[in-house]
Amino acid sequence: MKKTYYLFNPGRLSRKDNTLKFTPIDENKKEGKPRYLPVNQVSSLFIFGSLDANSALYNFLAKNQITAHFFDYYEHYTGSFMPKDYLLAGKVMVNQTLYYHHSSKRMNIAQSILHGGVNNMLRNLKYYLNRDKPVDKYIQQIQIYQRDMDSAANPQQLMGIEGNIRQVYYGAFDEIVNNHSMAGRSKQPPLNIVNALMSFGNMMCYTLCLDALYHTQLNPTISFLHEPGTRRYSLALDLAEIFKPLLIDRLIFSLLNKGQIQQKHFEQKIGGCFLNPKGKEIFIQAFDKKVKETIKHNALNKSVSYKHLVKLECYKLSRHIMGIDPYKPFKAWW
Amino acid sequence: MIQITALHVHYLHICHRKLWLFSNGIGMEHTSDAVADGTLLHDTAYAHRTKRYVELDIPGGKIDYYDPANKVIHETKRSGKMEQAQQAQIKFYLYQLHELGIVASASLDYPEERKSDKIIWLDSDHKLVDSWISQVHQIAIAEISPPKREQRFCQSCAYYDFCWSVDLTS
């Protein structure tokens, strides 16, 4: 299994013979001992630190289908280097567009995706209900909204219901998370610790989904639940809807409740709250561990990682638009 | 009309779903360790071969090792598990050469099993390969994919996760 590499330290990444070489550079421009990343083992690079690189490197990354994602100092996602598409399939592209254009076909996929996401949110709440957190009223309220989903007339209405559900769901965070208050969702900028983690985590989940899409024949810009153009790669947002509760929310609950991430891992800036470098490192380590965790896949009769589950979701969508099997979203059962 | 390659003929003899997906651009070979392994074997087995044999460009692909003196195609495989499909692939190469006016034979080499199978061109093969080609066309242009069929080698197929990742229940 290829790995994701996270680069936090400033340095230079270059092509050395047929592999990747990372040379750390400290504040005094002094070069440290280089590290080699075996190119065949790299699936993508997440670049948080300041990085020197030349076109020879990008050509090399492209040849090896390695994506590079960039983040600014405040850990905002700023963009990606996506090598040119290597899996082109005209029929998939045409069908994906047809399914987007056909309003009931589009709604069918959009509703399925949202049902997957809501199911996974409810899973999280039920888990904490079993651990005596008073979240039953949130569960009931979400279930009421969920019933409205099937009668929504268009994706805009569906997104409206999604917004209502999220508002209730985030309300339950204050019952689940000990010692920290979320006080509703705030973003751009996030106003407190819980929101800072959520913004950072959601962005990581989006990027994970984008990476999975890149290695399939689906076009990442044509989406069903989100309007295409919401972001550059809006199909990644659709996929993230399903996996955010599973990967990010669970991670936030456990990091905060176990005290692995604390007040000291954040910087309070004017108008916002952000993870500091140490906090980022802790979060990414936990995230990376999470996506490598495996579950037993009954249908495939083998263990698959969360990362691979995202890829399987892409396959399921492909099968749906190719008329092979109807799409059913991934729903966590534990 | 799609350009039919030896791989299409190979897939025809293994799985029609796989052939349909592949013909429609939904290739999964990039995800497969087995495919990477085959390429590696191809590149590393019989290191001294390249001096004697030439690479042959044929429509839709190339034959990596061709012995022009004896008119023999050499194809390297890890194991003979897919024997029938491999032989069909070879027959297709011989067919292509035949079309170019060359009557050749072939050798399927299994370096790890230390054995080779000889394959010769029969006059009746022409009709046989013609029928494969029309079958490939028929499957490839179908609007809907052929149904999946569970076979013993599904688990080791590059398309396994694509075909079988159906909805999970607890």
Side-chain angles (χ1 to χ4, degrees):
Chain A
M1 194 71 160
K2 291 185 177 193
K3 281 189 281 196
T4 303
Y5 283 81
Y6 306 91
L7 305 178
F8 288 103
N9 298 324
R12 183 168 55 247
L13 192 64
S14 54
R15 174 182 182 169
K16 170 75 179 148
D17 301 327
N18 253 335
T19 200
L20 294 170
K21 176 185 174 188
F22 179 76
T23 317
I25 298 171
D26 70 11
E27 291 134 31
N28 306 318
K29 303 251 186 278
K30 207 170 156 288
E31 289 188 4
K33 192 172 174 288
R35 231 187 105 192
Y36 293 90
L37 315 178
V39 73
N40 289 328
Q41 293 299 311
V42 183
S43 65
S44 55
L45 300 166
F46 281 59
I47 296 161
F48 293 94
S50 119
L51 188 83
D52 280 352
N54 60 17
S55 58
L57 173 85
Y58 287 108
N59 286 330
F60 187 57
L61 291 180
K63 276 208 184 78
N64 288 283
Q65 278 103 31
I66 297 170
T67 53
H69 308 291
F70 296 91
F71 303 85
D72 69 10
Y73 179 78
Y74 295 108
E75 68 249 359
H76 292 122
Y77 168 73
T78 53
S80 298
F81 170 70
M82 301 296 282
K84 76 168 188 210
D85 294 334
Y86 72 111
L87 299 169
L88 292 173
K91 205 175 166 83
V92 175
M93 176 80 166
V94 168
N95 283 14
Q96 200 179 338
T97 315
L98 281 175
Y99 271 73
Y100 164 75
H101 246 291
H102 190 291
S103 58
S104 70
K105 285 190 163 113
R106 177 180 172 189
M107 271 305 274
N108 177 272
I109 300 179
Q111 278 161 336
S112 292
I113 289 172
L114 192 52
H115 271 300
V118 174
N119 177 83
N120 295 341
M121 288 186 223
L122 286 170
R123 251 308 124 214
N124 286 351
L125 297 187
K126 283 173 187 164
Y127 173 90
Y128 284 98
L129 186 68
N130 286 337
R131 274 153 191 75
D132 297 328
K133 298 279 190 182
V135 291
D136 40 347
K137 63 169 197 258
Y138 300 95
I139 293 175
Q140 282 158 21
Q141 186 59 51
I142 290 176
Q143 283 167 338
I144 292 170
Y145 282 131
Q146 197 181 13
R147 282 198 278 279
D148 294 340
M149 279 164 47
D150 295 326
S151 49
N154 52 45
Q156 291 72 30
Q157 274 185 24
L158 203 56
M159 285 304 278
I161 299 169
E162 192 252 10
N164 293 337
I165 291 176
R166 288 216 166 265
Q167 209 174 358
V168 178
Y169 179 61
Y170 292 140
F173 273 46
D174 285 346
E175 310 282 1
I176 295 169
V177 177
N178 309 326
N179 308 325
H180 296 283
S181 166
M182 182 181 196
R185 179 81 176 106
S186 53
K187 49 189 169 184
Q188 294 170 341
L191 296 176
N192 53 38
I193 286 178
V194 184
N195 275 296
L197 286 171
M198 176 133 284
S199 291
F200 188 65
N202 287 351
M203 180 201 68
M204 293 299 292
C205 187
Y206 165 81
T207 318
L208 181 80
C209 294
L210 177 58
D211 264 335
L213 282 168
Y214 173 66
H215 295 287
T216 72
Q217 285 82 8
L218 291 168
N219 184 307
T221 64
I222 302 170
S223 52
F224 303 98
L225 177 61
H226 294 81
E227 200 54 49
T230 319
R231 286 254 195 109
R232 181 93 176 77
Y233 303 112
S234 44
L235 190 57
L237 288 176
D238 280 7
L239 275 182
E241 197 71 30
I242 297 168
F243 291 99
K244 272 176 344 190
L246 224 62
L247 296 175
I248 306 306
D249 302 348
R250 288 184 182 194
L251 202 59
I252 294 173
F253 299 148
S254 101
L255 285 172
L256 287 176
N257 284 353
K258 287 182 184 157
Q260 284 164 286
I261 282 206
Q262 300 160 13
Q263 190 80 47
K264 64 178 181 195
H265 297 121
F266 295 86
E267 282 170 39
Q268 200 73 47
K269 300 247 173 202
I270 306 166
C273 177
F274 302 95
L275 276 158
N276 68 18
K278 183 68 196 162
K280 256 185 277 184
E281 211 179 303
I282 295 170
F283 189 93
I284 297 247
Q285 262 174 16
F287 175 79
D288 196 51
K289 204 173 139 204
K290 185 90 194 169
V291 299
K292 283 181 189 150
E293 248 175 48
T294 59
I295 59 154
K296 177 87 176 150
H297 194 294
N298 295 352
L300 293 178
N301 196 23
K302 63 180 179 184
S303 291
V304 297
S305 63
Y306 280 99
K307 185 176 173 178
H308 195 58
L309 271 182
V310 181
K311 185 90 168 279
L312 295 182
E313 210 62 14
C314 301
Y315 290 165
K316 282 155 64 181
L317 270 177
S318 308
R319 290 208 308 266
H320 181 87
I321 61 169
M322 297 304 279
I324 296 175
D325 293 326
Y327 173 68
K328 289 194 188 125
F330 175 71
K331 292 180 176 174
W333 63 87
W334 67 99
Chain B
M1 288 284 258
I2 57 163
Q3 172 72 57
I4 292 186
T5 66
L7 199 53
H8 288 96
V9 173
H10 191 151
Y11 287 178
L12 175 73
H13 287 83
I14 291 182
C15 174
H16 291 182
R17 156 74 69 93
K18 184 172 181 167
L19 173 61
W20 186 87
L21 289 169
F22 178 72
S23 309
N24 283 287
I26 309 175
M28 291 290 144
E29 287 73 15
H30 64 288
T31 64
S32 164
D33 288 342
V35 174
D37 175 72
T39 313
L40 184 72
L41 179 79
H42 224 269
D43 294 345
T44 54
Y46 308 117
H48 299 294
R49 242 183 191 181
T50 43
K51 287 173 196 153
R52 287 169 40 211
Y53 301 161
V54 295
E55 197 180 282
L56 213 58
D57 280 315
I58 46 169
K62 61 177 195 233
I63 294 167
D64 289 321
Y65 298 108
Y66 178 64
D67 175 354
N70 302 309
K71 294 190 182 166
V72 179
I73 295 167
H74 285 269
E75 178 70 18
T76 316
K77 294 284 181 191
R78 181 72 79 189
S79 86
K81 268 190 219 145
M82 303 284 186
E83 207 175 354
Q84 199 211 348
Q86 287 166 2
Q87 288 186 357
Q89 180 183 350
I90 298 291
K91 287 274 176 179
F92 181 76
Y93 286 142
L94 294 176
Y95 172 94
Q96 286 184 302
L97 290 183
H98 195 260
E99 296 280 280
L100 298 170
I102 303 165
V103 179
S105 66
S107 169
L108 253 174
D109 302 330
Y110 304 100
E112 297 197 327
E113 296 172 2
R114 299 271 186 279
K115 66 164 203 172
S116 294
D117 285 344
K118 268 240 160 294
I119 294 167
I120 54 163
W121 177 255
L122 305 169
D123 285 339
S124 57
D125 284 342
H126 206 278
K127 230 171 128 184
L128 188 65
V129 178
D130 269 339
S131 80
W132 292 342
I133 292 172
S134 70
Q135 282 178 58
V136 168
H137 274 301
Q138 259 174 25
I139 292 168
I141 61 166
E143 193 52 40
I144 297 291
S145 145
K148 63 174 183 274
R149 196 158 56 88
E150 190 157 17
Q151 305 189 74
R152 68 190 155 78
F153 41 76
C154 271
Q155 286 242 23
S156 55
C157 174
Y159 293 65
Y160 177 67
D161 285 6
F162 185 89
C163 285
W164 296 96
S165 55
V166 293
D167 191 33
L168 289 163
T169 43
S170 53

